[in-house]
Amino acid sequence: MFACRASWQRCGGPLARLSINRAHLFRDVVPRRLMSSVPGGSADNILYGILCVGACAGSLTYVYRTVVSDKERFDDRINEIKARPKSEWKPKPWPPKSGEKDDE
């Protein structure tokens, strides 16, 4: 145990102090930013943009076609319901007659 402590004080202590001092030197330096050399990005970004625009256009087309076909189907269904023969409405007699007698 004593040997470990002595070797740490002799070798490890100065290294720890040295690393702390180096970290202090680089504290005020602005970190470098990794950027592409071409302004506006690379061709991969343009490809992703084109794919996204295509996907959005396709989804909007699908939604439009679905809404239009659903409206036509809805209108056909309403016309079919209206075309059914109806009997004239007759109100039920009041008070309703039931088979049960009131408890008195």
PDB file of all heavy atoms in Angstrom, residues 72-84:
ATOM      1  N   GLU A  72     -67.638  11.252 -53.598  1.00  0.00           N
ATOM      2  CA  GLU A  72     -68.525  10.649 -54.595  1.00  0.00           C
ATOM      3  C   GLU A  72     -69.267   9.447 -54.000  1.00  0.00           C
ATOM      4  O   GLU A  72     -70.463   9.281 -54.218  1.00  0.00           O
ATOM      5  CB  GLU A  72     -67.705  10.200 -55.812  1.00  0.00           C
ATOM      6  CG  GLU A  72     -67.138  11.350 -56.617  1.00  0.00           C
ATOM      7  CD  GLU A  72     -66.156  10.879 -57.679  1.00  0.00           C
ATOM      8  OE1 GLU A  72     -65.912   9.650 -57.766  1.00  0.00           O
ATOM      9  OE2 GLU A  72     -65.641  11.734 -58.399  1.00  0.00           O
ATOM     10  N   ARG A  73     -68.563   8.636 -53.251  1.00  0.00           N
ATOM     11  CA  ARG A  73     -69.187   7.472 -52.627  1.00  0.00           C
ATOM     12  C   ARG A  73     -70.234   7.906 -51.605  1.00  0.00           C
ATOM     13  O   ARG A  73     -71.313   7.321 -51.508  1.00  0.00           O
ATOM     14  CB  ARG A  73     -68.099   6.639 -51.939  1.00  0.00           C
ATOM     15  CG  ARG A  73     -68.432   5.200 -51.785  1.00  0.00           C
ATOM     16  CD  ARG A  73     -67.221   4.465 -51.288  1.00  0.00           C
ATOM     17  NE  ARG A  73     -66.640   5.159 -50.155  1.00  0.00           N
ATOM     18  CZ  ARG A  73     -66.272   4.574 -49.020  1.00  0.00           C
ATOM     19  NH1 ARG A  73     -66.412   3.292 -48.878  1.00  0.00           N
ATOM     20  NH2 ARG A  73     -65.754   5.269 -48.039  1.00  0.00           N
ATOM     21  N   PHE A  74     -69.923   8.960 -50.847  1.00  0.00           N
ATOM     22  CA  PHE A  74     -70.866   9.489 -49.863  1.00  0.00           C
ATOM     23  C   PHE A  74     -72.134   9.994 -50.558  1.00  0.00           C
ATOM     24  O   PHE A  74     -73.251   9.707 -50.114  1.00  0.00           O
ATOM     25  CB  PHE A  74     -70.198  10.607 -49.064  1.00  0.00           C
ATOM     26  CG  PHE A  74     -71.112  11.320 -48.121  1.00  0.00           C
ATOM     27  CD1 PHE A  74     -71.478  10.761 -46.912  1.00  0.00           C
ATOM     28  CD2 PHE A  74     -71.628  12.574 -48.444  1.00  0.00           C
ATOM     29  CE1 PHE A  74     -72.330  11.414 -46.040  1.00  0.00           C
ATOM     30  CE2 PHE A  74     -72.474  13.230 -47.583  1.00  0.00           C
ATOM     31  CZ  PHE A  74     -72.823  12.657 -46.379  1.00  0.00           C
ATOM     32  N   ASP A  75     -71.945  10.757 -51.631  1.00  0.00           N
ATOM     33  CA  ASP A  75     -73.115  11.287 -52.358  1.00  0.00           C
ATOM     34  C   ASP A  75     -73.962  10.146 -52.933  1.00  0.00           C
ATOM     35  O   ASP A  75     -75.206  10.204 -52.881  1.00  0.00           O
ATOM     36  CB  ASP A  75     -72.655  12.219 -53.483  1.00  0.00           C
ATOM     37  CG  ASP A  75     -72.069  13.514 -52.933  1.00  0.00           C
ATOM     38  OD1 ASP A  75     -72.344  13.849 -51.756  1.00  0.00           O
ATOM     39  OD2 ASP A  75     -71.321  14.186 -53.685  1.00  0.00           O
ATOM     40  N   ASP A  76     -73.314   9.112 -53.469  1.00  0.00           N
ATOM     41  CA  ASP A  76     -74.071   7.958 -53.986  1.00  0.00           C
ATOM     42  C   ASP A  76     -74.857   7.284 -52.869  1.00  0.00           C
ATOM     43  O   ASP A  76     -76.018   6.896 -53.050  1.00  0.00           O
ATOM     44  CB  ASP A  76     -73.127   6.946 -54.634  1.00  0.00           C
ATOM     45  CG  ASP A  76     -72.531   7.468 -55.934  1.00  0.00           C
ATOM     46  OD1 ASP A  76     -73.093   8.439 -56.488  1.00  0.00           O
ATOM     47  OD2 ASP A  76     -71.511   6.903 -56.375  1.00  0.00           O
ATOM     48  N   ARG A  77     -74.251   7.141 -51.727  1.00  0.00           N
ATOM     49  CA  ARG A  77     -74.923   6.491 -50.591  1.00  0.00           C
ATOM     50  C   ARG A  77     -76.118   7.309 -50.120  1.00  0.00           C
ATOM     51  O   ARG A  77     -77.195   6.761 -49.842  1.00  0.00           O
ATOM     52  CB  ARG A  77     -73.919   6.319 -49.452  1.00  0.00           C
ATOM     53  CG  ARG A  77     -74.475   5.721 -48.209  1.00  0.00           C
ATOM     54  CD  ARG A  77     -74.578   4.228 -48.342  1.00  0.00           C
ATOM     55  NE  ARG A  77     -75.008   3.687 -47.055  1.00  0.00           N
ATOM     56  CZ  ARG A  77     -75.935   2.785 -46.924  1.00  0.00           C
ATOM     57  NH1 ARG A  77     -76.530   2.267 -47.972  1.00  0.00           N
ATOM     58  NH2 ARG A  77     -76.271   2.345 -45.741  1.00  0.00           N
ATOM     59  N   ILE A  78     -75.968   8.615 -50.024  1.00  0.00           N
ATOM     60  CA  ILE A  78     -77.081   9.489 -49.597  1.00  0.00           C
ATOM     61  C   ILE A  78     -78.228   9.412 -50.605  1.00  0.00           C
ATOM     62  O   ILE A  78     -79.402   9.324 -50.226  1.00  0.00           O
ATOM     63  CB  ILE A  78     -76.593  10.943 -49.420  1.00  0.00           C
ATOM     64  CG1 ILE A  78     -75.598  11.037 -48.270  1.00  0.00           C
ATOM     65  CG2 ILE A  78     -77.754  11.895 -49.199  1.00  0.00           C
ATOM     66  CD1 ILE A  78     -76.168  10.646 -46.917  1.00  0.00           C
ATOM     67  N   ASN A  79     -77.900   9.432 -51.898  1.00  0.00           N
ATOM     68  CA  ASN A  79     -78.956   9.338 -52.921  1.00  0.00           C
ATOM     69  C   ASN A  79     -79.670   7.990 -52.852  1.00  0.00           C
ATOM     70  O   ASN A  79     -80.893   7.908 -53.038  1.00  0.00           O
ATOM     71  CB  ASN A  79     -78.359   9.547 -54.313  1.00  0.00           C
ATOM     72  CG  ASN A  79     -77.921  10.977 -54.527  1.00  0.00           C
ATOM     73  OD1 ASN A  79     -78.444  11.890 -53.883  1.00  0.00           O
ATOM     74  ND2 ASN A  79     -76.948  11.167 -55.393  1.00  0.00           N
ATOM     75  N   GLU A  80     -78.933   6.928 -52.559  1.00  0.00           N
ATOM     76  CA  GLU A  80     -79.548   5.610 -52.410  1.00  0.00           C
ATOM     77  C   GLU A  80     -80.489   5.575 -51.207  1.00  0.00           C
ATOM     78  O   GLU A  80     -81.593   5.020 -51.282  1.00  0.00           O
ATOM     79  CB  GLU A  80     -78.451   4.554 -52.243  1.00  0.00           C
ATOM     80  CG  GLU A  80     -78.967   3.149 -52.073  1.00  0.00           C
ATOM     81  CD  GLU A  80     -77.829   2.182 -51.793  1.00  0.00           C
ATOM     82  OE1 GLU A  80     -76.723   2.389 -52.309  1.00  0.00           O
ATOM     83  OE2 GLU A  80     -78.070   1.212 -51.033  1.00  0.00           O
ATOM     84  N   ILE A  81     -80.092   6.184 -50.109  1.00  0.00           N
ATOM     85  CA  ILE A  81     -80.939   6.219 -48.910  1.00  0.00           C
ATOM     86  C   ILE A  81     -82.194   7.044 -49.176  1.00  0.00           C
ATOM     87  O   ILE A  81     -83.303   6.665 -48.782  1.00  0.00           O
ATOM     88  CB  ILE A  81     -80.152   6.765 -47.707  1.00  0.00           C
ATOM     89  CG1 ILE A  81     -79.083   5.749 -47.291  1.00  0.00           C
ATOM     90  CG2 ILE A  81     -81.077   7.086 -46.541  1.00  0.00           C
ATOM     91  CD1 ILE A  81     -78.123   6.274 -46.237  1.00  0.00           C
ATOM     92  N   LYS A  82     -82.049   8.171 -49.880  1.00  0.00           N
ATOM     93  CA  LYS A  82     -83.201   9.018 -50.182  1.00  0.00           C
ATOM     94  C   LYS A  82     -84.159   8.341 -51.160  1.00  0.00           C
ATOM     95  O   LYS A  82     -85.359   8.626 -51.165  1.00  0.00           O
ATOM     96  CB  LYS A  82     -82.737  10.358 -50.752  1.00  0.00           C
ATOM     97  CG  LYS A  82     -82.113  11.265 -49.719  1.00  0.00           C
ATOM     98  CD  LYS A  82     -81.685  12.572 -50.331  1.00  0.00           C
ATOM     99  CE  LYS A  82     -81.071  13.487 -49.298  1.00  0.00           C
ATOM    100  NZ  LYS A  82     -80.623  14.760 -49.869  1.00  0.00           N
ATOM    101  N   ALA A  83     -83.652   7.455 -51.989  1.00  0.00           N
ATOM    102  CA  ALA A  83     -84.491   6.791 -52.991  1.00  0.00           C
ATOM    103  C   ALA A  83     -85.315   5.646 -52.402  1.00  0.00           C
ATOM    104  O   ALA A  83     -86.243   5.151 -53.047  1.00  0.00           O
ATOM    105  CB  ALA A  83     -83.619   6.261 -54.124  1.00  0.00           C
ATOM    106  N   ARG A  84     -85.032   5.220 -51.197  1.00  0.00           N
ATOM    107  CA  ARG A  84     -85.800   4.126 -50.578  1.00  0.00           C
ATOM    108  C   ARG A  84     -87.236   4.571 -50.315  1.00  0.00           C
ATOM    109  O   ARG A  84     -87.486   5.731 -49.956  1.00  0.00           O
ATOM    110  CB  ARG A  84     -85.160   3.724 -49.258  1.00  0.00           C
ATOM    111  CG  ARG A  84     -83.830   3.054 -49.410  1.00  0.00           C
ATOM    112  CD  ARG A  84     -83.269   2.696 -48.069  1.00  0.00           C
ATOM    113  NE  ARG A  84     -81.909   2.184 -48.191  1.00  0.00           N
ATOM    114  CZ  ARG A  84     -81.104   2.000 -47.173  1.00  0.00           C
ATOM    115  NH1 ARG A  84     -81.493   2.307 -45.937  1.00  0.00           N
ATOM    116  NH2 ARG A  84     -79.890   1.531 -47.355  1.00  0.00           N
TER     117      ARG A  84
END
